[in-house]
Amino acid sequence: MKFVLEVDLENAAWGEETATELGRILRYWGGNLHHYEMNPGDGSAVYDSGYREVGRWSLTSD
């Protein structure tokens, strides 16, 4: 099984705040994983601090 996190940096438009936003995304979504059963197919959209959808995480059976 693989954990996949994809964040679209081209459309995010964070400028100099890219590292800060990515850190926040990793902390928030990493801390939120306990709400999922962690089975292949589980996943969720990922949002930045402006509540814009910027990516997705998922579990695959690969």
Side-chain angles (χ1 to χ4, degrees):
M1 183 164 54
K2 289 183 183 180
F3 177 84
V4 179
L5 172 64
E6 291 185 285
V7 178
D8 183 355
L9 298 179
E10 286 192 36
N11 292 323
W14 297 320
E16 293 181 14
E17 300 297 317
T18 298
T20 301
E21 282 292 327
L22 287 174
R24 189 200 66 78
I25 286 168
L26 290 169
R27 284 188 306 279
Y28 180 82
W29 294 99
N32 201 34
L33 291 174
H34 70 276
H35 294 291
Y36 297 87
E37 292 185 30
M38 303 304 289
N39 295 315
D42 285 349
S44 179
V46 172
Y47 299 90
D48 68 6
S49 61
Y51 302 104
R52 294 174 296 254
E53 187 173 329
V54 293
R56 179 166 186 75
W57 72 263
S58 62
L59 290 172
T60 66
S61 58
D62 292 353

Coordinates of all heavy atoms in Angstrom, one line a residue:
M1 N 0.9 -1.2 0.0 CA 0.0 0.0 0.0 C 0.9 1.2 0.0 O 2.0 1.2 0.6 CB -0.9 0.0 1.2 CG -1.9 1.1 1.3 SD -3.2 0.9 2.5 CE -2.4 0.5 4.0
K2 N 0.5 2.3 -0.7 CA 1.2 3.5 -0.8 C 0.3 4.7 -0.3 O -0.8 4.7 -0.5 CB 1.6 3.8 -2.2 CG 2.7 2.9 -2.7 CD 3.1 3.4 -4.1 CE 4.2 2.5 -4.7 NZ 4.6 2.9 -6.0
F3 N 1.0 5.6 0.4 CA 0.4 6.9 0.8 C 0.9 7.9 -0.2 O 2.1 8.1 -0.4 CB 0.8 7.3 2.2 CG 0.2 8.7 2.6 CD1 -1.0 8.8 3.1 CD2 1.0 9.8 2.4 CE1 -1.6 10.0 3.5 CE2 0.5 11.0 2.8 CZ -0.8 11.1 3.3
V4 N -0.1 8.6 -0.9 CA 0.3 9.5 -2.0 C -0.3 10.9 -1.6 O -1.5 11.0 -1.3 CB -0.3 9.1 -3.4 CG1 0.1 10.1 -4.4 CG2 0.2 7.7 -3.7
L5 N 0.6 11.9 -1.6 CA 0.1 13.3 -1.4 C 0.6 14.1 -2.6 O 1.8 14.1 -2.9 CB 0.8 13.8 -0.1 CG 0.6 15.3 0.1 CD1 -0.9 15.6 0.4 CD2 1.4 15.8 1.3
E6 N -0.4 14.7 -3.2 CA -0.1 15.6 -4.4 C -0.6 17.0 -4.1 O -1.8 17.2 -3.7 CB -0.8 15.1 -5.6 CG -0.2 13.8 -6.2 CD -0.8 13.4 -7.5 OE1 -2.0 12.9 -7.4 OE2 -0.2 13.5 -8.5
V7 N 0.3 18.0 -4.3 CA -0.1 19.4 -4.1 C 0.3 20.1 -5.4 O 1.5 20.0 -5.8 CB 0.6 20.0 -2.9 CG1 0.2 21.5 -2.7 CG2 0.2 19.2 -1.6
D8 N -0.6 20.8 -6.0 CA -0.4 21.6 -7.2 C 0.3 22.9 -6.8 O -0.4 23.9 -6.4 CB -1.7 21.8 -8.0 CG -1.5 22.5 -9.3 OD1 -0.4 22.9 -9.6 OD2 -2.5 22.6 -10.0
L9 N 1.6 23.1 -7.0 CA 2.3 24.3 -6.7 C 2.1 25.4 -7.7 O 2.1 26.6 -7.4 CB 3.7 24.0 -6.5 CG 4.1 23.1 -5.3 CD1 5.6 22.9 -5.2 CD2 3.5 23.5 -4.0
E10 N 1.8 25.0 -9.0 CA 1.7 26.0 -10.0 C 0.5 26.9 -9.8 O 0.5 28.1 -10.1 CB 1.7 25.3 -11.4 CG 3.1 24.9 -11.8 CD 3.1 24.5 -13.2 OE1 2.4 25.1 -14.1 OE2 3.8 23.5 -13.5
N11 N -0.6 26.3 -9.4 CA -1.9 27.0 -9.3 C -2.1 27.5 -7.8 O -3.1 28.2 -7.6 CB -3.1 26.1 -9.7 CG -3.1 25.9 -11.2 OD1 -2.7 26.7 -11.9 ND2 -3.4 24.7 -11.6
A12 N -1.2 27.2 -6.9 CA -1.4 27.6 -5.5 C -1.1 29.1 -5.4 O -1.7 29.8 -4.5 CB -0.5 26.8 -4.6
A13 N -0.2 29.7 -6.1 CA 0.2 31.1 -6.0 C 0.5 31.6 -4.6 O 0.0 32.6 -4.1 CB -1.0 31.9 -6.6
W14 N 1.3 30.8 -3.9 CA 1.8 31.2 -2.6 C 3.0 32.1 -2.6 O 3.3 32.6 -1.5 CB 2.0 29.9 -1.7 CG 0.9 29.1 -1.5 CD1 -0.4 29.5 -1.2 CD2 0.9 27.6 -1.5 NE1 -1.2 28.4 -1.1 CE2 -0.5 27.2 -1.2 CE3 1.8 26.7 -1.7 CZ2 -0.8 25.9 -1.2 CZ3 1.4 25.3 -1.7 CH2 0.1 25.0 -1.4
G15 N 3.7 32.1 -3.7 CA 4.9 32.9 -3.7 C 6.0 32.5 -2.7 O 6.3 31.3 -2.6
E16 N 6.4 33.5 -1.9 CA 7.4 33.2 -0.9 C 6.9 32.3 0.3 O 7.7 31.9 1.1 CB 8.0 34.5 -0.4 CG 8.8 35.3 -1.4 CD 9.4 36.6 -0.9 OE1 9.4 36.7 0.3 OE2 9.8 37.4 -1.7
E17 N 5.6 32.1 0.3 CA 5.0 31.4 1.4 C 4.9 29.9 1.1 O 4.2 29.2 1.9 CB 3.7 32.0 1.8 CG 3.7 33.4 2.2 CD 4.5 33.6 3.5 OE1 4.4 32.8 4.5 OE2 5.3 34.5 3.6
T18 N 5.4 29.4 0.0 CA 5.3 28.0 -0.4 C 5.7 27.1 0.7 O 5.0 26.1 1.0 CB 6.0 27.8 -1.7 OG1 5.4 28.6 -2.7 CG2 5.9 26.3 -2.1
A19 N 6.9 27.2 1.2 CA 7.4 26.3 2.3 C 6.5 26.4 3.5 O 6.2 25.3 4.1 CB 8.8 26.7 2.6
T20 N 6.0 27.5 3.9 CA 5.1 27.7 5.0 C 3.8 26.9 4.8 O 3.3 26.2 5.7 CB 4.8 29.2 5.3 OG1 6.1 29.8 5.6 CG2 3.9 29.3 6.5
E21 N 3.2 27.1 3.6 CA 1.9 26.4 3.3 C 2.1 24.9 3.2 O 1.3 24.2 3.7 CB 1.4 27.0 2.0 CG 0.7 28.3 2.1 CD -0.6 28.2 2.9 OE1 -1.3 27.2 2.9 OE2 -0.9 29.2 3.5
L22 N 3.2 24.5 2.6 CA 3.4 23.0 2.6 C 3.6 22.4 4.0 O 3.1 21.4 4.3 CB 4.6 22.7 1.7 CG 4.4 22.9 0.2 CD1 5.7 22.6 -0.6 CD2 3.3 21.9 -0.3
G23 N 4.3 23.1 4.8 CA 4.5 22.7 6.2 C 3.1 22.6 6.9 O 2.9 21.6 7.6
R24 N 2.3 23.6 6.7 CA 1.0 23.6 7.3 C 0.1 22.4 6.8 O -0.6 21.8 7.6 CB 0.2 24.9 7.1 CG -1.1 25.1 7.9 CD -2.0 26.1 7.3 NE -2.4 25.7 6.0 CZ -3.4 24.8 5.8 NH1 -4.0 24.2 6.8 NH2 -3.8 24.5 4.5
I25 N 0.2 22.2 5.5 CA -0.6 21.1 4.9 C -0.1 19.8 5.5 O -1.0 19.0 5.9 CB -0.4 21.1 3.4 CG1 -1.3 22.3 2.8 CG2 -0.8 19.8 2.8 CD1 -1.0 22.6 1.3
L26 N 1.2 19.6 5.6 CA 1.7 18.3 6.2 C 1.3 18.1 7.6 O 0.9 17.0 8.0 CB 3.2 18.3 6.0 CG 3.7 18.1 4.6 CD1 5.2 18.3 4.6 CD2 3.4 16.7 4.1
R27 N 1.4 19.2 8.4 CA 1.0 19.1 9.8 C -0.5 18.8 10.0 O -1.0 17.9 10.7 CB 1.3 20.4 10.6 CG 2.8 20.5 10.9 CD 3.1 21.7 11.8 NE 2.6 22.9 11.3 CZ 3.2 23.7 10.4 NH1 4.3 23.3 9.9 NH2 2.6 24.8 10.0
Y28 N -1.3 19.6 9.2 CA -2.8 19.5 9.4 C -3.3 18.2 8.9 O -4.0 17.5 9.6 CB -3.5 20.6 8.7 CG -5.0 20.5 8.8 CD1 -5.6 21.0 9.9 CD2 -5.8 19.9 7.8 CE1 -7.0 20.9 10.1 CE2 -7.1 19.8 8.0 CZ -7.8 20.3 9.1 OH -9.1 20.2 9.2
W29 N -3.0 17.8 7.6 CA -3.5 16.6 7.1 C -2.9 15.4 7.7 O -3.5 14.3 7.8 CB -3.4 16.6 5.5 CG -4.3 17.7 5.0 CD1 -3.9 19.0 4.6 CD2 -5.7 17.6 4.9 NE1 -5.0 19.7 4.2 CE2 -6.1 18.9 4.4 CE3 -6.6 16.7 5.1 CZ2 -7.5 19.2 4.2 CZ3 -8.0 16.9 4.9 CH2 -8.4 18.2 4.4
G30 N -1.6 15.5 8.1 CA -1.0 14.3 8.8 C -1.7 14.1 10.1 O -1.9 12.9 10.5
G31 N -2.0 15.1 10.8 CA -2.7 15.0 12.1 C -4.1 14.6 12.0 O -4.7 14.1 12.9
N32 N -4.7 14.7 10.8 CA -6.1 14.4 10.5 C -6.3 12.9 10.1 O -7.4 12.4 10.0 CB -6.6 15.3 9.4 CG -8.1 15.4 9.4 OD1 -8.7 15.4 10.4 ND2 -8.6 15.6 8.2
L33 N -5.2 12.2 9.8 CA -5.3 10.9 9.3 C -6.0 9.9 10.2 O -6.5 8.9 9.8 CB -3.9 10.3 8.9 CG -3.3 11.0 7.7 CD1 -1.8 10.5 7.5 CD2 -4.1 10.8 6.4
H34 N -6.0 10.1 11.5 CA -6.6 9.2 12.5 C -8.1 9.1 12.3 O -8.7 8.2 12.8 CB -6.2 9.6 13.9 CG -6.9 10.8 14.4 ND1 -6.3 12.1 14.1 CD2 -8.0 11.0 15.1 CE1 -7.1 13.0 14.7 NE2 -8.1 12.4 15.2
H35 N -8.7 10.0 11.5 CA -10.1 9.9 11.2 C -10.5 8.9 10.1 O -11.6 8.7 9.8 CB -10.6 11.3 10.8 CG -10.6 12.3 11.9 ND1 -11.4 12.2 13.0 CD2 -9.8 13.4 12.1 CE1 -11.1 13.2 13.8 NE2 -10.1 14.0 13.3
Y36 N -9.5 8.3 9.5 CA -9.7 7.4 8.4 C -9.3 6.0 8.8 O -8.4 5.8 9.6 CB -8.8 7.9 7.1 CG -9.3 9.2 6.6 CD1 -8.7 10.4 7.2 CD2 -10.2 9.3 5.6 CE1 -9.1 11.7 6.7 CE2 -10.6 10.6 5.2 CZ -10.1 11.7 5.7 OH -10.5 13.0 5.3
E37 N -9.9 5.0 8.1 CA -9.6 3.6 8.4 C -8.2 3.2 7.8 O -7.7 2.2 8.2 CB -10.7 2.7 7.8 CG -12.0 2.9 8.6 CD -13.0 1.9 8.1 OE1 -12.7 0.8 7.7 OE2 -14.2 2.3 8.2
M38 N -7.7 4.0 6.9 CA -6.4 3.7 6.3 C -6.4 2.5 5.4 O -5.6 1.6 5.5 CB -5.3 3.7 7.3 CG -5.1 4.9 8.2 SD -4.9 6.4 7.2 CE -3.2 6.2 6.6
N39 N -7.4 2.4 4.6 CA -7.6 1.3 3.6 C -7.3 1.8 2.2 O -7.5 3.0 2.0 CB -9.0 0.7 3.7 CG -9.3 0.1 5.0 OD1 -8.5 -0.7 5.6 ND2 -10.5 0.4 5.6
P40 N -6.9 0.9 1.3 CA -6.7 1.4 -0.1 C -8.0 2.0 -0.6 O -9.1 1.5 -0.3 CB -6.4 0.1 -0.8 CG -5.8 -0.8 0.2 CD -6.5 -0.5 1.5
G41 N -7.9 3.1 -1.2 CA -9.0 3.9 -1.7 C -9.4 5.0 -0.9 O -10.1 5.9 -1.3
D42 N -9.0 5.0 0.4 CA -9.2 6.2 1.3 C -8.5 7.4 0.7 O -7.4 7.3 0.1 CB -8.8 5.9 2.7 CG -9.7 5.0 3.5 OD1 -10.8 4.7 3.0 OD2 -9.3 4.5 4.6
G43 N -9.0 8.6 1.0 CA -8.3 9.8 0.5 C -9.2 11.0 0.8 O -10.3 10.9 1.2
S44 N -8.6 12.1 0.5 CA -9.4 13.4 0.7 C -8.7 14.5 -0.1 O -7.5 14.5 -0.4 CB -9.3 13.7 2.2 OG -10.0 15.0 2.4
A45 N -9.5 15.5 -0.4 CA -8.9 16.7 -1.0 C -8.1 17.4 0.0 O -8.3 17.3 1.2 CB -10.1 17.6 -1.5
V46 N -7.1 18.1 -0.4 CA -6.2 18.9 0.5 C -6.4 20.4 0.2 O -6.5 20.8 -1.0 CB -4.7 18.5 0.2 CG1 -3.8 19.4 1.0 CG2 -4.5 17.1 0.5
Y47 N -6.6 21.2 1.3 CA -6.8 22.6 1.2 C -5.7 23.4 1.8 O -5.1 23.0 2.8 CB -8.2 22.9 1.9 CG -9.3 22.2 1.3 CD1 -9.7 20.9 1.7 CD2 -10.1 22.8 0.2 CE1 -10.8 20.3 1.1 CE2 -11.1 22.1 -0.4 CZ -11.5 20.9 0.1 OH -12.5 20.2 -0.5
D48 N -5.5 24.6 1.3 CA -4.5 25.5 1.9 C -5.2 26.4 2.9 O -6.3 26.2 3.3 CB -3.8 26.3 0.8 CG -4.7 27.3 0.1 OD1 -5.8 27.5 0.5 OD2 -4.2 27.9 -0.9
S49 N -4.4 27.3 3.5 CA -4.9 28.1 4.6 C -6.0 29.1 4.1 O -6.8 29.6 4.9 CB -3.8 28.9 5.2 OG -3.2 29.8 4.3
G50 N -6.1 29.3 2.8 CA -7.2 30.1 2.3 C -8.4 29.2 1.9 O -9.4 29.7 1.2
Y51 N -8.4 28.0 2.3 CA -9.5 27.0 2.0 C -9.7 26.7 0.5 O -10.8 26.5 0.1 CB -10.8 27.4 2.7 CG -10.7 27.5 4.2 CD1 -10.6 28.8 4.8 CD2 -10.5 26.4 5.0 CE1 -10.4 28.9 6.2 CE2 -10.3 26.5 6.4 CZ -10.3 27.8 7.0 OH -10.1 27.9 8.3
R52 N -8.6 26.9 -0.2 CA -8.7 26.5 -1.6 C -8.2 25.1 -1.8 O -7.1 24.8 -1.2 CB -7.8 27.5 -2.4 CG -8.3 28.9 -2.4 CD -7.3 29.8 -3.1 NE -6.1 29.9 -2.4 CZ -5.6 30.9 -1.6 NH1 -6.4 32.0 -1.5 NH2 -4.5 30.8 -1.0
E53 N -8.8 24.3 -2.6 CA -8.4 23.0 -2.9 C -7.1 23.0 -3.7 O -7.1 23.6 -4.8 CB -9.5 22.2 -3.6 CG -9.1 20.7 -3.8 CD -10.2 19.9 -4.4 OE1 -11.4 20.2 -4.1 OE2 -9.9 18.9 -5.0
V54 N -6.0 22.4 -3.2 CA -4.7 22.5 -3.9 C -4.2 21.1 -4.2 O -3.1 21.0 -4.7 CB -3.7 23.3 -3.1 CG1 -4.1 24.8 -3.0 CG2 -3.5 22.7 -1.7
G55 N -4.8 20.1 -3.8 CA -4.3 18.7 -4.0 C -5.2 17.7 -3.4 O -6.4 17.9 -3.1
R56 N -4.6 16.5 -3.2 CA -5.3 15.3 -2.7 C -4.3 14.4 -2.1 O -3.2 14.3 -2.6 CB -6.0 14.7 -3.9 CG -6.8 13.4 -3.5 CD -7.7 13.0 -4.6 NE -8.5 11.9 -4.2 CZ -9.5 12.0 -3.3 NH1 -9.9 13.1 -2.8 NH2 -10.2 10.9 -2.9
W57 N -4.7 13.7 -1.1 CA -4.0 12.5 -0.6 C -4.8 11.3 -0.8 O -6.0 11.4 -0.8 CB -3.5 12.7 0.9 CG -4.7 12.6 1.9 CD1 -5.4 13.6 2.5 CD2 -5.2 11.4 2.5 NE1 -6.3 13.1 3.3 CE2 -6.2 11.7 3.3 CE3 -4.9 10.0 2.3 CZ2 -6.9 10.7 4.1 CZ3 -5.6 9.1 3.0 CH2 -6.6 9.5 3.9
S58 N -4.1 10.2 -0.9 CA -4.9 8.9 -1.1 C -4.0 7.7 -0.7 O -2.8 7.8 -0.6 CB -5.3 8.7 -2.6 OG -4.2 8.7 -3.4
L59 N -4.7 6.6 -0.5 CA -4.0 5.3 -0.2 C -4.3 4.5 -1.4 O -5.4 4.3 -1.8 CB -4.5 4.7 1.0 CG -4.1 5.4 2.3 CD1 -4.8 4.8 3.5 CD2 -2.6 5.3 2.5
T60 N -3.2 3.9 -2.0 CA -3.4 3.0 -3.1 C -2.9 1.6 -2.7 O -2.2 1.4 -1.8 CB -2.5 3.5 -4.3 OG1 -1.1 3.3 -4.0 CG2 -2.9 4.9 -4.7
S61 N -3.4 0.6 -3.5 CA -3.0 -0.8 -3.2 C -1.7 -1.2 -3.8 O -1.3 -2.3 -3.7 CB -4.1 -1.7 -3.7 OG -4.3 -1.6 -5.0
D62 N -1.0 -0.3 -4.5 CA 0.3 -0.6 -5.1 C 1.3 -0.9 -4.1 O 1.5 -0.3 -3.2 CB 0.8 0.6 -6.0 CG -0.1 0.8 -7.2 OD1 -1.0 -0.1 -7.5 OD2 0.1 1.8 -7.9

